[in-house]
Amino acid sequence: MNTNKTKSGSLKVYFFSALIALVVSLGVIGFNRLNQKEEVKGVTTVETVKGKHVLYTADDEGNIKPLDFTDTSKKVLDAVVHIKSTQMSSGYDNSRARELPDPFKEFFGDMFKGQTPEIQSQPRVGTGSGVIINDKGYIVTNNHVIDNADDIEVTLYDNESYKATVIGTDPTTDLALIQIKADNLKTMSLVNSDDVEVGEWVLAVGNPLGLNSTVTAGIVSAKARNININQDRFAVESFIQTDAAINPGNSGGALVNLDGNLVGINTAIASRTGTYTGYGFAVPSNIVTKVVEDLLKYGNVQRGMLGVTIRTMDSNLAKEKDVDFASGVWVEEVGEDSAADKAGVESGDIILEVNGIETHTSPRLQEIIAGKRPGDKVTLLVKRDGKEKEIEVTLMNREGGTGIIKKERKEVFNLLGADFETLDKDLAKKLDIDGGVQVKKLYPGTIKRQTQMREGFIITHIDGKRVKEVGDVAKILENKKGGVMLEGIYENGDKYYYAFGLES
């Protein structure tokens, strides 16, 4: 064997390998230099290629356009706010009195000697979101975001904060309307949620998990969903379901379409972990619109009612009731003297339509009726004994009447954070008092912040002046500044005094 030839061949192989490696290395270096823009202190930056739209969608006219969430996000972020609700929990033992504000110590201090309890308060703070719906500072949120709060603080997208007052609430839909005093607010318009389609792109905007101004994207997964999360006796659940990520803190935030208009208020999630692993649910904008209009016009929500117990019709129910299946809502019971009863609706009827709108599920029927007021007439298409029949129903209120029940709403009542009602004559007689005004509901406001008053308190005097009806409260306190003294009684006969100051 010729070892010299073998060595010579090996050297040639090594030479050519090295040459190839050198050429490749020079090529890589040259390519990198062509793409290299600047190198500073060991950090290399390169020219980037602008992102290209790879997804497309069609508008209502069928025109194809790039699917881009940036413009929508810019349009809606300013109109979604962060809400902080603070509740003061204390060791207050319901003693006769509490420490008086400074303006009253000089005049009323002797009255409470030895009766002032020690109060150790530890605030509990919750957070949520809200949507600014007009330039007067009205904000829609969930009732559970602000319920039982003593103080509400709203922070805008630019981080400016304001104290909020409660205009009204509707536990049946878990909605609340609050207001801040601010100028140049960005607002969001509401659309007809009936036009929203399953599969449509939507964005969820809010403040989840302590992360302000967060946008997530998804589609409408379903409509008219009932998940039995609202425990109110007259609860209305007909949610828009979405797979856009919704987490704690998103409550009260916006679900918007690609035009940046509100289609729903994010309210709940379906998750085994308590965070996003499933679906989110939003109150449809049509229900939101109705609730807001009622609160502003009447002071409370006007809920038209059929007065029936219902179930969504399916094959199993049809077999159970021994009837032919029909896609609609089965009437299980009809309340005596209810709107449905007086119109001739019977147990066993299957409601197919309301005013020409199909009602395939109970939530859908609830949603349609929730958009009506007492006294409104609706036409039901029902199936009875295999035949279709139209029935006109005049909806009633909870008290069994057809009239609108207004609640007096004054600016000073919003400031106080309370709903008042003239005392029932029978209760006044039972308590042996000559009338009064009862506190029916307390919201975040002056009374909750400065006193330990409980709902049900009956005001008999304000600053020594006799109070017999709600109008007396408004007359005495409107334009009032400084200290106020309330005197009254609870239904158990305990007499109390509550003092607070009204800000200028």
Side-chain angles (χ1 to χ4, degrees):
M1 181 179 292
N2 191 333
T3 57
N4 289 331
K5 288 184 178 181
T6 301
K7 291 180 179 178
S8 177
S10 298
L11 289 173
K12 289 180 179 179
V13 172
Y14 290 142
F15 174 77
F16 282 113
S17 297
L19 182 61
I20 292 172
L22 178 62
V23 171
V24 171
S25 298
L26 290 173
V28 171
I29 293 171
F31 180 79
N32 284 339
R33 284 181 175 176
L34 288 175
N35 286 277
Q36 183 174 321
K37 179 181 179 182
E38 182 181 3
E39 184 173 344
V40 181
K41 296 181 181 178
V43 177
T44 303
T45 61
V46 297
E47 293 286 351
T48 59
V49 179
K50 291 184 177 180
K52 295 182 178 179
H53 299 295
V54 294
L55 293 177
Y56 295 85
T57 187
D59 58 22
D60 292 338
E61 286 74 36
N63 300 314
I64 302 299
K65 59 182 182 180
L67 181 62
D68 181 19
F69 302 133
T70 57
D71 288 342
T72 304
S73 298
K74 291 174 184 177
K75 183 176 180 180
V76 302
L77 278 169
D78 282 332
V80 179
V81 302
H82 177 270
I83 297 176
K84 183 174 76 172
S85 299
T86 304
Q87 182 179 359
M88 302 300 294
S89 61
S90 70
Y92 186 73
D93 62 359
N94 292 331
S95 296
R96 173 80 36 108
R98 64 183 301 274
E99 187 173 7
L100 295 171
D102 287 337
F104 293 95
K105 286 182 178 178
E106 180 180 352
F107 301 101
F108 301 102
D110 291 340
M111 185 184 300
F112 301 109
K113 279 186 178 179
Q115 298 185 38
T116 303
E118 182 178 354
I119 301 175
Q120 295 179 344
S121 298
Q122 294 181 339
R124 291 189 295 174
V125 178
T127 61
S129 306
V131 182
I132 306 173
I133 57 171
N134 67 23
D135 57 7
K136 293 183 179 179
Y138 289 112
I139 297 170
V140 176
T141 185
N142 283 137
N143 181 56
H144 74 258
V145 170
I146 58 95
D147 193 31
N148 296 319
D150 297 307
D151 185 76
I152 301 174
E153 184 178 86
V154 170
T155 302
L156 305 182
Y157 181 62
D158 64 3
N159 292 324
E160 189 171 7
S161 296
Y162 299 86
K163 294 295 183 183
T165 56
V166 176
I167 301 302
T169 64
D170 181 33
T172 65
T173 57
D174 194 18
L175 292 173
L177 183 66
I178 63 177
Q179 186 180 25
I180 59 174
K181 300 295 185 181
D183 299 320
N184 302 316
L185 293 171
K186 300 292 184 180
T187 65
M188 192 179 297
S189 300
L190 287 75
V191 296
N192 183 353
S193 52
D194 285 348
D195 295 336
V196 176
E197 297 183 7
V198 174
E200 179 178 339
W201 281 100
V202 286
L203 303 183
V205 190
N207 305 277
L209 304 173
L211 303 171
N212 289 353
S213 304
T214 297
V215 179
T216 56
I219 62 170
V220 173
S221 306
K223 296 179 66 178
R225 286 291 200 211
N226 184 323
I227 58 176
N228 296 314
I229 195 172
N230 191 331
Q231 299 304 309
D232 188 273
R233 179 185 173 191
F234 299 101
V236 176
E237 286 191 16
S238 185
F239 293 122
I240 295 174
Q241 178 182 317
T242 178
D243 64 352
I246 294 176
N247 282 294
N250 273 116
S251 290
L255 189 70
V256 303
N257 60 18
L258 293 188
D259 292 325
N261 296 319
L262 189 73
V263 301
I265 294 293
N266 298 321
T267 299
I269 57 177
S271 167
R272 294 180 179 179
T273 65
T275 55
Y276 175 71
T277 56
Y279 293 99
F281 299 88
V283 178
S285 56
N286 283 4
I287 292 180
V288 176
T289 300
K290 164 67 163 49
V291 168
V292 170
E293 288 178 350
D294 280 0
L295 290 176
L296 291 177
K297 187 174 182 179
Y298 305 110
N300 55 6
V301 176
Q302 306 298 316
R303 184 77 71 223
M305 307 186 75
L306 279 173
V308 294
T309 303
I310 55 178
R311 296 169 62 183
T312 298
M313 196 67 186
D314 58 25
S315 297
N316 292 330
L317 181 57
K319 185 182 294 185
E320 175 190 331
K321 302 298 182 181
D322 193 24
V323 297
D324 293 333
F325 171 77
S327 181
V329 177
W330 174 266
V331 178
E332 188 74 17
E333 294 181 10
V334 178
E336 185 177 356
D337 292 329
S338 66
D341 184 33
K342 292 182 177 181
V345 177
E346 297 179 2
S347 175
D349 285 348
I350 302 173
I351 301 176
L352 307 176
E353 296 179 359
V354 177
N355 292 344
I357 303 172
E358 293 180 341
T359 54
H360 294 300
T361 65
S362 297
R364 182 57 175 146
L365 174 60
Q366 281 188 313
E367 180 182 352
I368 296 171
I369 297 300
K372 307 298 180 182
R373 298 183 175 93
D376 287 349
K377 291 179 174 16
V378 296
T379 301
L380 308 181
L381 177 64
V382 305
K383 189 172 184 179
R384 180 187 300 170
D385 299 327
K387 297 180 181 180
E388 293 185 358
K389 179 180 181 178
E390 285 191 347
I391 302 175
E392 185 177 77
V393 182
T394 301
L395 301 178
M396 293 182 171
N397 55 40
R398 293 183 185 181
E399 284 71 28
T402 58
I404 298 296
I405 303 175
K406 292 185 178 182
K407 182 170 64 178
E408 191 167 2
R409 202 77 213 173
K410 299 283 189 179
E411 182 74 22
V412 68
F413 294 168
N414 293 337
L415 180 63
L416 293 173
D419 286 340
F420 300 101
E421 188 175 287
T422 300
L423 186 65
D424 178 77
K425 291 182 179 179
D426 291 336
L427 181 55
K429 184 177 180 180
K430 177 183 175 182
L431 295 173
D432 194 26
I433 58 177
D434 187 22
V437 173
Q438 191 164 32
V439 179
K440 301 298 292 185
K441 178 73 176 176
L442 285 172
Y443 306 102
T446 301
I447 290 178
K448 287 195 75 171
R449 282 195 297 268
Q450 298 187 31
T451 78
Q452 294 292 327
M453 183 186 292
R454 306 186 305 278
E455 292 175 359
F457 181 66
I458 300 164
I459 303 171
T460 58
H461 296 80
I462 300 178
D463 293 341
K465 299 176 182 177
R466 194 73 180 86
V467 172
K468 290 187 177 182
E469 58 183 36
V470 175
D472 295 337
V473 178
K475 184 177 180 180
I476 296 172
L477 294 183
E478 278 184 323
N479 302 317
K480 168 83 175 182
K481 299 294 182 288
V484 176
M485 170 62 75
L486 303 184
E487 177 184 345
I489 188 173
Y490 284 98
E491 291 187 29
N492 64 2
D494 288 345
K495 295 183 179 181
Y496 279 76
Y497 297 86
Y498 292 108
F500 56 86
L502 281 177
E503 300 174 0
S504 58

